[in-house]
Amino acid sequence: MSGVVEQNAWWLLMRGSGVVALALLTLSVALGVATTGRSSLGGMPRFATAALHRSLSLLGTTFVAVHVLSALLDRYAQVRLLDAVVPFAAPHRTLWVGLGALALDLLVAVVVTSLVRVRLGLRAWRAVHWLSYAIWPVSLAHTLGMGSDASAWWLRIGALVSLLVVAGAVALRLGRRTGD
């Protein structure tokens, strides 16, 4: 690949994977919020709802990995490995890159503890899993503040839809709680 084409490919992959990751993690968080406890989605059995939540989470995590890797490989983005994993260490766009690093660190903690959930115990796993509720708004802020698309109308609308989806899930959950 020529240098310009290669750089454009990394940039496009970084942008696209970030947007897809946010969409998938939005669906995962909304599903997790709406179906906590013994509830399920519509007429789906609880095991199917849990499997869908897990699949959305894993696919979202995969897109986050692609997003971070492509940011590291894109020379224009100027993101170092240190910047990607140590919050607020980046020499430029410190806040926005730092929010991305913070979201990544929290996501890694949730994924690792989920992988060892049986050995960790339900109470400890659940305590760490609560970080998922922090990852999503931090990721949303990173999306809205970082990159060349931050002010694009389509990204702003996508972010608003993401916010409405999660707010709807919270309203559904709270409505169930008051109806019990």
Side-chain angles (χ1 to χ4, degrees):
M1 252 194 266
S2 74
V4 173
V5 172
E6 180 182 357
Q7 276 312 110
N8 197 31
W10 289 125
W11 181 67
L12 289 171
L13 183 61
M14 178 179 52
R15 292 169 59 211
S17 60
V19 170
V20 172
L22 179 65
L24 290 167
L25 293 176
T26 295
L27 293 173
S28 174
V29 166
L31 187 60
V33 167
T35 62
T36 297
R38 299 211 185 309
S39 60
S40 65
L41 183 64
M44 289 176 65
R46 178 71 184 131
F47 75 88
T49 304
L52 178 59
H53 174 68
R54 187 171 32 257
S55 295
L56 287 168
S57 299
L58 290 173
L59 193 56
T61 300
T62 301
F63 273 90
V64 167
V66 170
H67 177 67
V68 172
L69 181 61
S70 57
L72 293 171
L73 295 172
D74 181 10
R75 283 180 274 160
Y76 175 76
Q78 299 176 354
V79 176
R80 306 168 302 174
L81 181 58
L82 179 73
D83 305 335
V85 296
V86 177
F88 312 108
H92 66 285
R93 308 214 54 165
T94 306
L95 174 63
W96 306 117
V97 175
L99 288 173
L102 178 60
L104 176 64
D105 293 348
L106 294 173
L107 182 64
V108 167
V110 170
V111 168
V112 168
T113 56
S114 292
L115 291 173
V116 296
R117 179 179 169 178
V118 174
R119 292 182 180 216
L120 192 60
L122 184 60
R123 178 177 275 184
W125 170 81
R126 188 171 283 145
V128 175
H129 202 75
W130 273 88
L131 292 174
S132 299
Y133 295 119
I135 295 167
W136 183 81
V138 170
S139 298
L140 184 63
H142 167 76
T143 300
L144 290 173
M146 189 71 212
S148 56
D149 296 320
S151 62
W153 66 268
W154 59 267
L155 187 66
R156 298 276 173 153
I157 289 173
L160 178 61
V161 168
S162 294
L163 184 62
L164 291 173
V165 166
V166 171
V170 169
L172 180 66
R173 181 173 174 178
L174 291 176
R176 277 198 202 123
R177 183 176 289 171
T178 59
D180 291 341

